[in-house]
Amino acid sequence: MNAEASKAEQPEQTEEWADVTPDAARRLVRAAVHAFAERGYHATTTRDIAGRAGMSPAALYIHYKTKEELLFQISGVGHRLALDILRSAAEGEGGAARRLAAAVRSFVRWHAEHHTTARVVQYELGALSEEHYTEIVARRREIDGVVRGIIEDGVRAGEFDVPDIPGTTLAVLSLCIDVARWFTTEGRRTPDQVGELYADLVLRMVGATDA
Amino acid sequence: MNAEASKAEQPEQTEEWADVTPDAARRLVRAAVHAFAERGYHATTTRDIAGRAGMSPAALYIHYKTKEELLFQISGVGHRLALDILRSAAEGEGGAARRLAAAVRSFVRWHAEHHTTARVVQYELGALSEEHYTEIVARRREIDGVVRGIIEDGVRAGEFDVPDIPGTTLAVLSLCIDVARWFTTEGRRTPDQVGELYADLVLRMVGATDA
DNA sequence: ACGGAACCTAAGCGCTTGCTCACCCTTTGT
DNA sequence: ACAAAGGGTGAGCAAGCGCTTAGGTTCCGT
């Protein structure tokens, strides 16, 4: 979707933090994402984040009140990105099978391509404050709703054979999300290949007539 | 498999730490599992673990040299348990479909029933020391091998239709493992129900002829 | 020319962390 | 009877933590 490639300083990812301003805050976010993904939120120090961003520890607190607020910003942007990707696939053309496959393909591709961000988004929820957590959980329910919607469409249209719609929705999302845990750039598969494989597997899970 | 029920002090789980001795060490392990599962390894303090086990902070170091060694004990026992469960299902009776269903059913049930232990086993690998980590990774490869073995059997026998065997193995295991992330006792589903649902979904993923 | 906003740093405060140490009970073998 | 061993404690150390503060520099509108 994001056609503009950056100047290949970080070749793997299209710029996901473009709308974080000012520049120093964006550098902090990028540093924090990498640190959180590598070591986890609690094992990451503010000194480490600031160091990676090329600043003194104190500079962090000019842009963010706390370390947790930095995590919240990452989690918020990440969830919106994930939701947008899913929605634009869900609202695409074609029958339920086609749209479900497109949704899984792009959702999985995002989790693989941006697996550092995705790791933070999916596995550091517990480190958020209570208020921030409930806000994020609301967005996650939206994500669930989008996928369930496609599956319901397919069942209604007779395209899918799904005995347990909420359960299958849960399983499909779970499968996609867990990509962030195991994916590495050193692995044998590219994000596109994983997306293709998973789209096929999910169509089988919902008993899609034909592919 | 474990027929002897405890005196229902902790109704949810059959005793998984029975062979950890002495008694004080077992209490520490149980306390650590709950603390690690709730807050994560790095956010858990040795004081918290000792407190939950009813001891002073210093008592922990009589039984374990470091906090990390405690995690390693938990991870080691947990991985052996998980592997045993999978193996006894894989070596059971019947065709590949039956054995794969049994493996997924019991593996998923374990992840749901013992989701606190499973959470530590599956999501705190990164906190292990380098040596301990490589030791655990070896056990994880065995787990992968067991599942791949069943799928290969099914393909050879013409029972399954699987274009990408390593990829599908990965997806099946990923689906099961992620149960530890989302499962709660407050949810609508029992561990048995999740196991049943997932066994069905996995049979669909491998294109099993009949169920 | 210059007041002020924006941004950054060196130094460090108060606290918590993993872990240790000196010492104290109980149980056990002889 | 009593030394040894095993299992425990209270107090506390050195290090590292999140975060603050006082002060400096750069840039801009007027």
PDB file of all heavy atoms in Angstrom, chain C residues 18-29:
ATOM      1  P    DG C  18      14.884  -8.397  41.099  1.00  0.00           P
ATOM      2  OP1  DG C  18      14.138  -9.034  40.000  1.00  0.00           O
ATOM      3  OP2  DG C  18      14.377  -8.507  42.482  1.00  0.00           O
ATOM      4  O5'  DG C  18      16.389  -8.906  41.101  1.00  0.00           O
ATOM      5  C5'  DG C  18      17.207  -8.809  39.945  1.00  0.00           C
ATOM      6  C4'  DG C  18      18.620  -9.166  40.327  1.00  0.00           C
ATOM      7  O4'  DG C  18      19.058  -8.249  41.363  1.00  0.00           O
ATOM      8  C3'  DG C  18      18.810 -10.567  40.901  1.00  0.00           C
ATOM      9  O3'  DG C  18      20.009 -11.133  40.372  1.00  0.00           O
ATOM     10  C2'  DG C  18      18.858 -10.339  42.406  1.00  0.00           C
ATOM     11  C1'  DG C  18      19.498  -8.962  42.507  1.00  0.00           C
ATOM     12  N9   DG C  18      19.070  -8.218  43.686  1.00  0.00           N
ATOM     13  C8   DG C  18      17.786  -8.077  44.150  1.00  0.00           C
ATOM     14  N7   DG C  18      17.689  -7.367  45.240  1.00  0.00           N
ATOM     15  C5   DG C  18      19.005  -7.019  45.519  1.00  0.00           C
ATOM     16  C6   DG C  18      19.542  -6.257  46.595  1.00  0.00           C
ATOM     17  O6   DG C  18      18.942  -5.715  47.529  1.00  0.00           O
ATOM     18  N1   DG C  18      20.938  -6.137  46.515  1.00  0.00           N
ATOM     19  C2   DG C  18      21.703  -6.690  45.519  1.00  0.00           C
ATOM     20  N2   DG C  18      23.021  -6.481  45.598  1.00  0.00           N
ATOM     21  N3   DG C  18      21.212  -7.406  44.512  1.00  0.00           N
ATOM     22  C4   DG C  18      19.866  -7.532  44.574  1.00  0.00           C
ATOM     23  P    DC C  19      20.410 -12.643  40.708  1.00  0.00           P
ATOM     24  OP1  DC C  19      21.365 -13.124  39.691  1.00  0.00           O
ATOM     25  OP2  DC C  19      19.171 -13.397  40.983  1.00  0.00           O
ATOM     26  O5'  DC C  19      21.206 -12.451  42.063  1.00  0.00           O
ATOM     27  C5'  DC C  19      22.355 -11.595  42.084  1.00  0.00           C
ATOM     28  C4'  DC C  19      22.835 -11.370  43.501  1.00  0.00           C
ATOM     29  O4'  DC C  19      21.865 -10.619  44.246  1.00  0.00           O
ATOM     30  C3'  DC C  19      23.097 -12.626  44.326  1.00  0.00           C
ATOM     31  O3'  DC C  19      24.500 -12.788  44.465  1.00  0.00           O
ATOM     32  C2'  DC C  19      22.399 -12.366  45.657  1.00  0.00           C
ATOM     33  C1'  DC C  19      22.111 -10.873  45.606  1.00  0.00           C
ATOM     34  N1   DC C  19      20.936 -10.425  46.394  1.00  0.00           N
ATOM     35  C2   DC C  19      21.123  -9.588  47.501  1.00  0.00           C
ATOM     36  O2   DC C  19      22.265  -9.248  47.804  1.00  0.00           O
ATOM     37  N3   DC C  19      20.048  -9.191  48.224  1.00  0.00           N
ATOM     38  C4   DC C  19      18.820  -9.583  47.873  1.00  0.00           C
ATOM     39  N4   DC C  19      17.792  -9.148  48.607  1.00  0.00           N
ATOM     40  C5   DC C  19      18.598 -10.437  46.750  1.00  0.00           C
ATOM     41  C6   DC C  19      19.668 -10.834  46.039  1.00  0.00           C
ATOM     42  P    DT C  20      25.166 -13.936  45.309  1.00  0.00           P
ATOM     43  OP1  DT C  20      26.436 -14.285  44.645  1.00  0.00           O
ATOM     44  OP2  DT C  20      24.152 -14.958  45.591  1.00  0.00           O
ATOM     45  O5'  DT C  20      25.547 -13.225  46.700  1.00  0.00           O
ATOM     46  C5'  DT C  20      26.276 -12.015  46.670  1.00  0.00           C
ATOM     47  C4'  DT C  20      26.585 -11.574  48.094  1.00  0.00           C
ATOM     48  O4'  DT C  20      25.376 -11.071  48.727  1.00  0.00           O
ATOM     49  C3'  DT C  20      27.122 -12.681  49.008  1.00  0.00           C
ATOM     50  O3'  DT C  20      28.234 -12.142  49.715  1.00  0.00           O
ATOM     51  C2'  DT C  20      25.941 -12.994  49.927  1.00  0.00           C
ATOM     52  C1'  DT C  20      25.260 -11.633  50.020  1.00  0.00           C
ATOM     53  N1   DT C  20      23.797 -11.648  50.339  1.00  0.00           N
ATOM     54  C2   DT C  20      23.345 -10.905  51.394  1.00  0.00           C
ATOM     55  O2   DT C  20      24.068 -10.243  52.111  1.00  0.00           O
ATOM     56  N3   DT C  20      21.982 -10.967  51.595  1.00  0.00           N
ATOM     57  C4   DT C  20      21.064 -11.679  50.847  1.00  0.00           C
ATOM     58  O4   DT C  20      19.874 -11.652  51.116  1.00  0.00           O
ATOM     59  C5   DT C  20      21.622 -12.446  49.748  1.00  0.00           C
ATOM     60  C7   DT C  20      20.724 -13.251  48.877  1.00  0.00           C
ATOM     61  C6   DT C  20      22.948 -12.388  49.551  1.00  0.00           C
ATOM     62  P    DC C  21      29.308 -13.109  50.406  1.00  0.00           P
ATOM     63  OP1  DC C  21      30.606 -12.753  49.816  1.00  0.00           O
ATOM     64  OP2  DC C  21      28.814 -14.499  50.358  1.00  0.00           O
ATOM     65  O5'  DC C  21      29.265 -12.613  51.920  1.00  0.00           O
ATOM     66  C5'  DC C  21      28.846 -11.275  52.208  1.00  0.00           C
ATOM     67  C4'  DC C  21      28.409 -11.166  53.652  1.00  0.00           C
ATOM     68  O4'  DC C  21      26.958 -11.224  53.724  1.00  0.00           O
ATOM     69  C3'  DC C  21      28.927 -12.290  54.562  1.00  0.00           C
ATOM     70  O3'  DC C  21      29.370 -11.732  55.784  1.00  0.00           O
ATOM     71  C2'  DC C  21      27.707 -13.191  54.745  1.00  0.00           C
ATOM     72  C1'  DC C  21      26.578 -12.154  54.712  1.00  0.00           C
ATOM     73  N1   DC C  21      25.261 -12.714  54.299  1.00  0.00           N
ATOM     74  C2   DC C  21      24.087 -12.233  54.920  1.00  0.00           C
ATOM     75  O2   DC C  21      24.181 -11.364  55.793  1.00  0.00           O
ATOM     76  N3   DC C  21      22.901 -12.751  54.533  1.00  0.00           N
ATOM     77  C4   DC C  21      22.841 -13.687  53.584  1.00  0.00           C
ATOM     78  N4   DC C  21      21.646 -14.154  53.233  1.00  0.00           N
ATOM     79  C5   DC C  21      24.025 -14.175  52.941  1.00  0.00           C
ATOM     80  C6   DC C  21      25.208 -13.664  53.336  1.00  0.00           C
ATOM     81  P    DA C  22      30.515 -12.496  56.639  1.00  0.00           P
ATOM     82  OP1  DA C  22      31.716 -11.641  56.572  1.00  0.00           O
ATOM     83  OP2  DA C  22      30.580 -13.919  56.245  1.00  0.00           O
ATOM     84  O5'  DA C  22      29.913 -12.411  58.114  1.00  0.00           O
ATOM     85  C5'  DA C  22      29.341 -11.186  58.577  1.00  0.00           C
ATOM     86  C4'  DA C  22      28.253 -11.488  59.587  1.00  0.00           C
ATOM     87  O4'  DA C  22      27.080 -11.991  58.885  1.00  0.00           O
ATOM     88  C3'  DA C  22      28.622 -12.557  60.624  1.00  0.00           C
ATOM     89  O3'  DA C  22      28.270 -12.111  61.920  1.00  0.00           O
ATOM     90  C2'  DA C  22      27.824 -13.786  60.182  1.00  0.00           C
ATOM     91  C1'  DA C  22      26.601 -13.152  59.525  1.00  0.00           C
ATOM     92  N9   DA C  22      25.978 -13.991  58.499  1.00  0.00           N
ATOM     93  C8   DA C  22      26.611 -14.766  57.558  1.00  0.00           C
ATOM     94  N7   DA C  22      25.784 -15.418  56.760  1.00  0.00           N
ATOM     95  C5   DA C  22      24.532 -15.043  57.207  1.00  0.00           C
ATOM     96  C6   DA C  22      23.238 -15.389  56.783  1.00  0.00           C
ATOM     97  N6   DA C  22      23.000 -16.225  55.760  1.00  0.00           N
ATOM     98  N1   DA C  22      22.199 -14.832  57.444  1.00  0.00           N
ATOM     99  C2   DA C  22      22.451 -14.005  58.465  1.00  0.00           C
ATOM    100  N3   DA C  22      23.622 -13.597  58.952  1.00  0.00           N
ATOM    101  C4   DA C  22      24.636 -14.161  58.277  1.00  0.00           C
ATOM    102  P    DC C  23      28.681 -12.930  63.231  1.00  0.00           P
ATOM    103  OP1  DC C  23      28.903 -11.930  64.298  1.00  0.00           O
ATOM    104  OP2  DC C  23      29.714 -13.921  62.874  1.00  0.00           O
ATOM    105  O5'  DC C  23      27.324 -13.713  63.565  1.00  0.00           O
ATOM    106  C5'  DC C  23      26.109 -12.963  63.699  1.00  0.00           C
ATOM    107  C4'  DC C  23      24.929 -13.887  63.543  1.00  0.00           C
ATOM    108  O4'  DC C  23      24.881 -14.463  62.219  1.00  0.00           O
ATOM    109  C3'  DC C  23      24.886 -15.107  64.484  1.00  0.00           C
ATOM    110  O3'  DC C  23      23.901 -14.898  65.468  1.00  0.00           O
ATOM    111  C2'  DC C  23      24.569 -16.276  63.570  1.00  0.00           C
ATOM    112  C1'  DC C  23      24.038 -15.572  62.331  1.00  0.00           C
ATOM    113  N1   DC C  23      24.097 -16.394  61.091  1.00  0.00           N
ATOM    114  C2   DC C  23      22.897 -16.791  60.487  1.00  0.00           C
ATOM    115  O2   DC C  23      21.821 -16.433  60.981  1.00  0.00           O
ATOM    116  N3   DC C  23      22.933 -17.564  59.369  1.00  0.00           N
ATOM    117  C4   DC C  23      24.121 -17.936  58.863  1.00  0.00           C
ATOM    118  N4   DC C  23      24.110 -18.682  57.767  1.00  0.00           N
ATOM    119  C5   DC C  23      25.356 -17.536  59.454  1.00  0.00           C
ATOM    120  C6   DC C  23      25.292 -16.771  60.559  1.00  0.00           C
ATOM    121  P    DC C  24      23.726 -15.899  66.701  1.00  0.00           P
ATOM    122  OP1  DC C  24      23.459 -15.061  67.881  1.00  0.00           O
ATOM    123  OP2  DC C  24      24.824 -16.887  66.689  1.00  0.00           O
ATOM    124  O5'  DC C  24      22.378 -16.657  66.309  1.00  0.00           O
ATOM    125  C5'  DC C  24      21.222 -15.893  65.950  1.00  0.00           C
ATOM    126  C4'  DC C  24      20.126 -16.850  65.497  1.00  0.00           C
ATOM    127  O4'  DC C  24      20.466 -17.375  64.198  1.00  0.00           O
ATOM    128  C3'  DC C  24      19.949 -18.064  66.417  1.00  0.00           C
ATOM    129  O3'  DC C  24      18.576 -18.233  66.698  1.00  0.00           O
ATOM    130  C2'  DC C  24      20.498 -19.217  65.592  1.00  0.00           C
ATOM    131  C1'  DC C  24      20.197 -18.749  64.175  1.00  0.00           C
ATOM    132  N1   DC C  24      21.055 -19.367  63.115  1.00  0.00           N
ATOM    133  C2   DC C  24      20.453 -20.167  62.131  1.00  0.00           C
ATOM    134  O2   DC C  24      19.233 -20.355  62.155  1.00  0.00           O
ATOM    135  N3   DC C  24      21.244 -20.735  61.184  1.00  0.00           N
ATOM    136  C4   DC C  24      22.563 -20.515  61.191  1.00  0.00           C
ATOM    137  N4   DC C  24      23.294 -21.089  60.231  1.00  0.00           N
ATOM    138  C5   DC C  24      23.181 -19.701  62.170  1.00  0.00           C
ATOM    139  C6   DC C  24      22.404 -19.148  63.107  1.00  0.00           C
ATOM    140  P    DC C  25      18.079 -18.958  68.042  1.00  0.00           P
ATOM    141  OP1  DC C  25      17.877 -17.954  69.077  1.00  0.00           O
ATOM    142  OP2  DC C  25      19.016 -20.096  68.289  1.00  0.00           O
ATOM    143  O5'  DC C  25      16.672 -19.541  67.611  1.00  0.00           O
ATOM    144  C5'  DC C  25      16.469 -20.916  67.758  1.00  0.00           C
ATOM    145  C4'  DC C  25      16.204 -21.538  66.390  1.00  0.00           C
ATOM    146  O4'  DC C  25      17.406 -21.549  65.608  1.00  0.00           O
ATOM    147  C3'  DC C  25      15.787 -22.988  66.482  1.00  0.00           C
ATOM    148  O3'  DC C  25      14.379 -23.045  66.370  1.00  0.00           O
ATOM    149  C2'  DC C  25      16.493 -23.694  65.347  1.00  0.00           C
ATOM    150  C1'  DC C  25      17.299 -22.589  64.661  1.00  0.00           C
ATOM    151  N1   DC C  25      18.665 -22.964  64.196  1.00  0.00           N
ATOM    152  C2   DC C  25      18.831 -23.840  63.108  1.00  0.00           C
ATOM    153  O2   DC C  25      17.832 -24.328  62.560  1.00  0.00           O
ATOM    154  N3   DC C  25      20.085 -24.151  62.691  1.00  0.00           N
ATOM    155  C4   DC C  25      21.134 -23.597  63.302  1.00  0.00           C
ATOM    156  N4   DC C  25      22.359 -23.909  62.849  1.00  0.00           N
ATOM    157  C5   DC C  25      21.004 -22.699  64.392  1.00  0.00           C
ATOM    158  C6   DC C  25      19.759 -22.410  64.802  1.00  0.00           C
ATOM    159  P    DT C  26      13.552 -24.087  67.266  1.00  0.00           P
ATOM    160  OP1  DT C  26      12.193 -23.525  67.280  1.00  0.00           O
ATOM    161  OP2  DT C  26      14.319 -24.308  68.517  1.00  0.00           O
ATOM    162  O5'  DT C  26      13.477 -25.550  66.523  1.00  0.00           O
ATOM    163  C5'  DT C  26      13.633 -25.695  65.556  1.00  0.00           C
ATOM    164  C4'  DT C  26      14.069 -26.777  64.610  1.00  0.00           C
ATOM    165  O4'  DT C  26      15.461 -26.512  64.337  1.00  0.00           O
ATOM    166  C3'  DT C  26      13.987 -28.222  65.060  1.00  0.00           C
ATOM    167  O3'  DT C  26      13.043 -28.883  64.226  1.00  0.00           O
ATOM    168  C2'  DT C  26      15.408 -28.758  64.867  1.00  0.00           C
ATOM    169  C1'  DT C  26      16.086 -27.704  64.012  1.00  0.00           C
ATOM    170  N1   DT C  26      17.521 -27.461  64.251  1.00  0.00           N
ATOM    171  C2   DT C  26      18.439 -27.973  63.360  1.00  0.00           C
ATOM    172  O2   DT C  26      18.138 -28.643  62.391  1.00  0.00           O
ATOM    173  N3   DT C  26      19.754 -27.668  63.658  1.00  0.00           N
ATOM    174  C4   DT C  26      20.217 -26.918  64.722  1.00  0.00           C
ATOM    175  O4   DT C  26      21.420 -26.704  64.884  1.00  0.00           O
ATOM    176  C5   DT C  26      19.206 -26.416  65.606  1.00  0.00           C
ATOM    177  C7   DT C  26      19.586 -25.579  66.790  1.00  0.00           C
ATOM    178  C6   DT C  26      17.911 -26.705  65.333  1.00  0.00           C
ATOM    179  P    DT C  27      12.559 -30.397  64.629  1.00  0.00           P
ATOM    180  OP1  DT C  27      11.210 -30.573  64.059  1.00  0.00           O
ATOM    181  OP2  DT C  27      12.809 -30.559  66.082  1.00  0.00           O
ATOM    182  O5'  DT C  27      13.571 -31.360  63.847  1.00  0.00           O
ATOM    183  C5'  DT C  27      13.700 -31.243  62.433  1.00  0.00           C
ATOM    184  C4'  DT C  27      14.941 -31.984  61.976  1.00  0.00           C
ATOM    185  O4'  DT C  27      16.122 -31.351  62.514  1.00  0.00           O
ATOM    186  C3'  DT C  27      15.008 -33.463  62.401  1.00  0.00           C
ATOM    187  O3'  DT C  27      15.067 -34.258  61.245  1.00  0.00           O
ATOM    188  C2'  DT C  27      16.287 -33.537  63.255  1.00  0.00           C
ATOM    189  C1'  DT C  27      17.082 -32.354  62.742  1.00  0.00           C
ATOM    190  N1   DT C  27      18.098 -31.769  63.656  1.00  0.00           N
ATOM    191  C2   DT C  27      19.426 -31.767  63.284  1.00  0.00           C
ATOM    192  O2   DT C  27      19.824 -32.240  62.230  1.00  0.00           O
ATOM    193  N3   DT C  27      20.295 -31.186  64.190  1.00  0.00           N
ATOM    194  C4   DT C  27      19.950 -30.610  65.412  1.00  0.00           C
ATOM    195  O4   DT C  27      20.805 -30.121  66.149  1.00  0.00           O
ATOM    196  C5   DT C  27      18.551 -30.651  65.741  1.00  0.00           C
ATOM    197  C7   DT C  27      18.071 -30.060  67.030  1.00  0.00           C
ATOM    198  C6   DT C  27      17.693 -31.220  64.866  1.00  0.00           C
ATOM    199  P    DT C  28      14.936 -35.871  61.355  1.00  0.00           P
ATOM    200  OP1  DT C  28      14.285 -36.334  60.125  1.00  0.00           O
ATOM    201  OP2  DT C  28      14.383 -36.190  62.690  1.00  0.00           O
ATOM    202  O5'  DT C  28      16.462 -36.341  61.329  1.00  0.00           O
ATOM    203  C5'  DT C  28      17.322 -35.912  60.261  1.00  0.00           C
ATOM    204  C4'  DT C  28      18.760 -36.279  60.586  1.00  0.00           C
ATOM    205  O4'  DT C  28      19.270 -35.402  61.614  1.00  0.00           O
ATOM    206  C3'  DT C  28      18.929 -37.706  61.107  1.00  0.00           C
ATOM    207  O3'  DT C  28      19.804 -38.409  60.236  1.00  0.00           O
ATOM    208  C2'  DT C  28      19.543 -37.528  62.501  1.00  0.00           C
ATOM    209  C1'  DT C  28      20.173 -36.150  62.390  1.00  0.00           C
ATOM    210  N1   DT C  28      20.360 -35.416  63.682  1.00  0.00           N
ATOM    211  C2   DT C  28      21.619 -34.953  64.017  1.00  0.00           C
ATOM    212  O2   DT C  28      22.591 -35.120  63.324  1.00  0.00           O
ATOM    213  N3   DT C  28      21.683 -34.275  65.233  1.00  0.00           N
ATOM    214  C4   DT C  28      20.644 -34.031  66.099  1.00  0.00           C
ATOM    215  O4   DT C  28      20.823 -33.423  67.134  1.00  0.00           O
ATOM    216  C5   DT C  28      19.350 -34.555  65.677  1.00  0.00           C
ATOM    217  C7   DT C  28      18.154 -34.349  66.549  1.00  0.00           C
ATOM    218  C6   DT C  28      19.268 -35.213  64.507  1.00  0.00           C
ATOM    219  P    DG C  29      19.935 -40.000  60.317  1.00  0.00           P
ATOM    220  OP1  DG C  29      19.671 -40.506  58.953  1.00  0.00           O
ATOM    221  OP2  DG C  29      19.142 -40.487  61.462  1.00  0.00           O
ATOM    222  O5'  DG C  29      21.485 -40.218  60.655  1.00  0.00           O
ATOM    223  C5'  DG C  29      22.474 -39.535  59.879  1.00  0.00           C
ATOM    224  C4'  DG C  29      23.831 -39.695  60.534  1.00  0.00           C
ATOM    225  O4'  DG C  29      23.895 -38.871  61.734  1.00  0.00           O
ATOM    226  C3'  DG C  29      24.159 -41.118  60.985  1.00  0.00           C
ATOM    227  O3'  DG C  29      25.560 -41.351  60.781  1.00  0.00           O
ATOM    228  C2'  DG C  29      23.800 -41.116  62.467  1.00  0.00           C
ATOM    229  C1'  DG C  29      24.118 -39.678  62.881  1.00  0.00           C
ATOM    230  N9   DG C  29      23.281 -39.137  63.952  1.00  0.00           N
ATOM    231  C8   DG C  29      21.934 -39.350  64.132  1.00  0.00           C
ATOM    232  N7   DG C  29      21.447 -38.716  65.177  1.00  0.00           N
ATOM    233  C5   DG C  29      22.547 -38.041  65.707  1.00  0.00           C
ATOM    234  C6   DG C  29      22.641 -37.195  66.838  1.00  0.00           C
ATOM    235  O6   DG C  29      21.738 -36.849  67.610  1.00  0.00           O
ATOM    236  N1   DG C  29      23.933 -36.729  67.023  1.00  0.00           N
ATOM    237  C2   DG C  29      25.010 -37.029  66.212  1.00  0.00           C
ATOM    238  N2   DG C  29      26.174 -36.495  66.542  1.00  0.00           N
ATOM    239  N3   DG C  29      24.943 -37.832  65.145  1.00  0.00           N
ATOM    240  C4   DG C  29      23.680 -38.295  64.961  1.00  0.00           C
TER     241       DG C  29
END
